[in-house]
Amino acid sequence: QLQLQESGPGLVKPSETLSLTCTVSGDSISGSRYYWGWIRQPPGKGLEWIGSLYYTGITYYTPSLKSRVTISVDTSKNQFSLKLSSVTAADTAVYFCLGVVVINMLGQWGQGTQVTVSS
Amino acid sequence: FMLTQPHSVSESPGKTVTISCTGSSGSIATNYVQWYQQRPGSAPTTVIYQNSLRPSGVPDRFSGSIDSSSNSASLTISGLKTDDEADYYCQSHDSSKWVFGGGTKLTV
């Protein structure tokens, strides 16, 4: 069964870069079986899609964050990563990674990781 | 493209509740709709995918459907249990963008 686990610093200073990693187990991150995505949830608010990595290698980002976001994959470690630059307090949220089966859109979520932006 | 959900719904144990998810434009039937359950302090989990399919382990009290005439998707939960109390989010796609509804708080 596919499992995902987020990791990274829980505290980031304003103007710095937030870096998170999602480690995938139970299946290979390579190949054409899955889409991979990052979603965040600010305190007391709903889910916000950040961006996705398709098996073609193409990435898609939400327009409001596109200038600051990079999603990449490390197949040797079975991981994919999120980098969000120039963070502010508005980027404080729980960050989730998500793996979605391409043929039927069945999704498996990571447990989430809290990231606070503060000096 | 946006997905609109009611902010909250409330129903008694044992009853049936339906949560709607309305697409702002185009046809909601163009792309699959998923439904996620999120209990307080926990990650979301999938309760419905591909419009109406249930992952293993999700009881058949949960069902999903699409209504093209109203451009909406629905999540129906029958035989409500207090354990069903959670936030529910619909999700679909607009081109290659993933779109989430604003979420519905279900009180049982």
Side-chain angles (χ1 to χ4, degrees), chain B residues 8-49:
Chain B
S8 63
V9 296
S10 178
E11 190 51 90
S12 303
K15 300 291 189 179
T16 297
V17 70
T18 297
I19 299 172
S20 63
C21 172
T22 303
S24 62
S25 62
S27 172
I28 201 165
T30 299
N31 296 293
Y32 291 138
V33 175
Q34 285 60 242
W35 289 91
Y36 303 110
Q37 177 192 66
Q38 186 180 33
R39 295 190 174 98
S42 296
T45 60
T46 303
V47 291
I48 294 289
Y49 66 102

Side-chain angles (χ1 to χ4, degrees), chain A residues 100-101 103-107, chain B residues 1 3 18-21 27-36 46-55 58 62-68 71-76 89-93:
Chain A
V100 178
V101 179
I103 60 171
N104 61 21
M105 302 307 294
L106 174 60
Chain B
F1 177 71
L3 295 172
T18 297
I19 299 172
S20 63
C21 172
S27 172
I28 201 165
T30 299
N31 296 293
Y32 291 138
V33 175
Q34 285 60 242
W35 289 91
Y36 303 110
T46 303
V47 291
I48 294 289
Y49 66 102
Q50 202 175 324
N51 297 336
S52 61
L53 301 183
R54 288 185 310 277
V58 174
F62 289 79
S63 62
S65 63
I66 296 289
D67 181 355
S68 296
N71 207 38
S72 65
S74 294
L75 171 69
T76 299
Y89 295 88
C90 59
Q91 179 265 322
S92 189
H93 291 76

Side-chain angles (χ1 to χ4, degrees), chain A residues 35-37 39 41 45-49 52 54 60 63 96 98 100 103-107 109-111, chain B residues 32 34 36 38 42-46 49-50 53 55 87 89 91 93 95-102:
Chain A
Y35 302 129
W36 307 104
I39 292 90
Q41 186 171 37
K45 296 188 177 182
L47 302 172
E48 177 186 17
W49 172 67
S52 306
Y54 282 24
Y60 299 93
F96 299 97
L98 173 64
V100 178
I103 60 171
N104 61 21
M105 302 307 294
L106 174 60
W109 294 73
Q111 68 182 33
Chain B
Y32 291 138
Q34 285 60 242
Y36 303 110
Q38 186 180 33
S42 296
T45 60
T46 303
Y49 66 102
Q50 202 175 324
L53 301 183
D87 294 327
Y89 295 88
Q91 179 265 322
H93 291 76
S95 297
S96 299
K97 291 181 287 187
W98 297 10
V99 180
F100 287 90

